Amino acid sequence: MEQRFGDLAPDGTTSTPALTRLFEHPRVSLRLRRFERLVAEGGFRPFHILLVGQGVERCTPFGSVGATLRIGTGVRSIGRTSFTYGQGMFVDGRLVATADATIVLADKSGPIALPDELLADLEELRLPGTDGSAAPKSDPRRRERRYYPTTATVRARVEDVDLNRHVNYIAQVGRYDEAIASHAHDLLGDDAAKKLPRYLPWRYRVTYLGEVRYPGTYDIGIAVSGRD
């Protein structure tokens, strides 16, 4: 893939939300031939593919427009009803970012067991040295509105609605970025324009608990839980 100007953040490096888009294409382009054949032949009941969690992280600043980005993709863990991709992004052979994404197959009643054909496809893509451990779970208090000392209010935009008729997960990460930038701007005051690039997020880990729909107004809770 090629680095685009539109992927750059105010500090001139590739933004963390842009990583979600850059990592998406090679992930969804992977061929799962046994499973695809099973579905095409009508051997698997109707289902939906749900992205239930994802993480992206910049390992180092990068952002040369036109640079070639090479993305490696494999499977990090396989469960009964879900599996997790693992990805790495390289520029000139140097690791610059990582990502993971957890996928669930579901019907109207909820998650369904992965068929043997899909399990066989996934095993062929398993990354070496992976132990199958799941991503760490977030503090359950984060699901409570009172946990957050401040919020930023955003409205869903029709341009963010995807084929599944809800606000796309890439657009959601962009809204989190906007909320954090708005909060940092309030804290920095008159120095915001000069100092804001120092406060750009380097990583996002998102667990999707429900659909974000259009039209709709949503409060994004903001809390500082620690410092690195």
Side-chain angles (χ1 to χ4, degrees), residues 7 30 49 61 93 95 99 110 131 153 157 191 200 203 223:
D7 295 327
L30 279 179
I49 299 175
L95 180 68
D131 59 7
T153 301
R157 302 174 300 194
D191 292 333
L200 298 174
R203 70 179 69 92

Side-chain angles (χ1 to χ4, degrees), residues 95-119:
L95 180 68
V96 296
T98 61
D100 60 70
T102 299
I103 306 297
V104 167
L105 302 187
D107 58 17
K108 293 182 179 180
S109 62
I112 54 182
L114 304 181
D116 292 340
E117 290 81 355
L118 178 55
L119 293 174

Side-chain angles (χ1 to χ4, degrees), residues 6-7 16 20-21 24 29 31 33-34 37 60-61 64 68 84 87 90-91 94 105 119 134 160 189 199 207 215:
D7 295 327
T16 308
T20 61
R21 183 193 64 80
E24 178 190 46
S29 298
R31 299 300 305 273
R33 299 185 185 279
R34 297 180 185 86
R37 185 165 55 250
T60 185
S64 177
T68 298
T84 300
Q87 296 177 279
F90 299 83
V91 175
R94 177 174 58 109
L105 302 187
L119 293 174
D160 297 331
Y199 295 88
T207 300

Side-chain angles (χ1 to χ4, degrees), residues 171-181 201 204 206-208 220:
Q172 290 184 47
V173 172
R175 289 309 184 93
Y176 293 142
D177 215 52
E178 290 178 19
I180 292 172
Y204 277 105
V206 185
T207 300
Y208 297 97
I220 298 178

Side-chain angles (χ1 to χ4, degrees), residues 10-182:
D11 65 351
T13 67
T14 300
S15 73
T16 308
L19 293 178
T20 61
R21 183 193 64 80
L22 292 167
F23 277 117
E24 178 190 46
H25 180 71
R27 188 177 71 239
V28 300
S29 298
L30 279 179
R31 299 300 305 273
L32 303 170
R33 299 185 185 279
R34 297 180 185 86
F35 180 57
E36 291 170 4
R37 185 165 55 250
L38 175 69
V39 173
E41 294 173 352
F44 194 63
R45 63 183 185 271
F47 66 96
H48 298 286
I49 299 175
L50 304 178
L51 177 72
V52 298
Q54 70 165 327
V56 292
E57 180 172 359
R58 293 195 298 170
C59 302
T60 185
F62 69 100
S64 177
V65 175
T68 298
L69 307 175
R70 299 192 180 279
I71 299 175
T73 303
V75 172
R76 188 167 61 81
S77 65
I78 305 171
R80 188 178 65 84
T81 60
S82 68
F83 59 96
T84 300
Y85 288 110
Q87 296 177 279
M89 181 182 294
F90 299 83
V91 175
D92 296 328
R94 177 174 58 109
L95 180 68
V96 296
T98 61
D100 60 70
T102 299
I103 306 297
V104 167
L105 302 187
D107 58 17
K108 293 182 179 180
S109 62
I112 54 182
L114 304 181
D116 292 340
E117 290 81 355
L118 178 55
L119 293 174
D121 286 332
L122 296 174
E123 282 293 346
E124 289 185 351
L125 297 170
R126 189 187 285 273
L127 294 167
T130 52
D131 59 7
S133 58
K137 294 184 178 181
S138 62
D139 186 333
R141 294 177 299 171
R142 295 183 60 183
R143 301 191 183 193
E144 301 176 7
R145 172 63 180 81
R146 60 187 179 184
Y147 174 80
Y148 301 94
T150 187
T151 61
T153 301
V154 299
R155 291 183 61 86
R157 302 174 300 194
V158 66
E159 64 196 70
D160 297 331
V161 178
D162 61 18
L163 291 174
N164 294 319
R165 308 295 177 88
H166 57 225
V167 174
N168 184 265
Y169 67 91
I170 295 176
Q172 290 184 47
V173 172
R175 289 309 184 93
Y176 293 142
D177 215 52
E178 290 178 19
I180 292 172
S182 177

